[in-house]
Amino acid sequence: MSVKLNRVGVVIAAAAAATFTLAPPASAEGSWSSYISNWRGGDESRRWTDNHSDGSSTTVSFSGCSFGGPSSATLELDHVRDFLPDVSHGTRSNSCNTVSWGEVGKAEFYFIYIGSTRLSVNSVVTRY
């Protein structure tokens, strides 16, 4: 009888493990992909709306970078305010990796390149 109970325990444990293994990973509310070609300081990304329907961080990932001198690019995340100055959520230094501003709330956003050299990036992925 104990062999039968052990088998039942193994089957239950395997089913539980499969359930957790097959569960889809948590994902961000939205994302977009693009590239950057020969940006100068002050150039802006496209704009996107974060409806704040989840708790995901806002991230910008770069790969295939040409920084034109320095080894990173400074990005500033701003949220749009109609008829008022936009609000900065601060700057991050992206050295051809992923940078995060954390959970920034519900708004329309964009990022600005802060720099004095040219910036080109083969792949830009923004998640929010």
Side-chain angles (χ1 to χ4, degrees):
M1 188 58 108
S2 71
V3 171
K4 198 174 200 178
L5 287 177
N6 284 340
R7 284 186 193 161
V8 170
V10 168
V11 169
I12 291 171
T19 300
F20 290 112
T21 303
L22 298 176
S27 61
E29 171 185 321
S31 66
W32 57 269
S33 301
S34 189
Y35 64 93
I36 292 173
S37 180
N38 216 20
W39 272 18
R40 296 178 188 210
D43 284 346
E44 299 177 0
S45 71
R46 63 170 274 192
R47 294 174 182 220
W48 70 91
T49 300
D50 186 342
N51 291 310
H52 198 58
S53 62
D54 60 11
S56 294
S57 295
T58 296
T59 63
V60 175
S61 300
F62 283 178
S63 64
C65 305
S66 173
F67 295 118
S71 59
S72 65
T74 300
L75 306 177
E76 177 181 291
L77 181 69
D78 285 2
H79 99 241
V80 177
R81 295 192 311 170
D82 293 333
F83 310 111
L84 294 169
D86 294 344
V87 174
S88 172
H89 286 268
T91 60
R92 302 291 185 271
S93 181
N94 190 318
S95 55
C96 214
N97 57 2
T98 300
V99 294
S100 175
W101 281 268
E103 189 177 351
V104 291
K106 181 178 181 175
E108 182 178 13
F109 294 94
Y110 63 96
F111 62 85
I112 301 171
Y113 169 51
I114 309 291
S116 58
T117 61
R118 300 290 180 137
L119 172 65
S120 293
V121 181
N122 291 338
S123 175
V124 177
V125 178
T126 301
R127 291 184 173 85
Y128 51 93

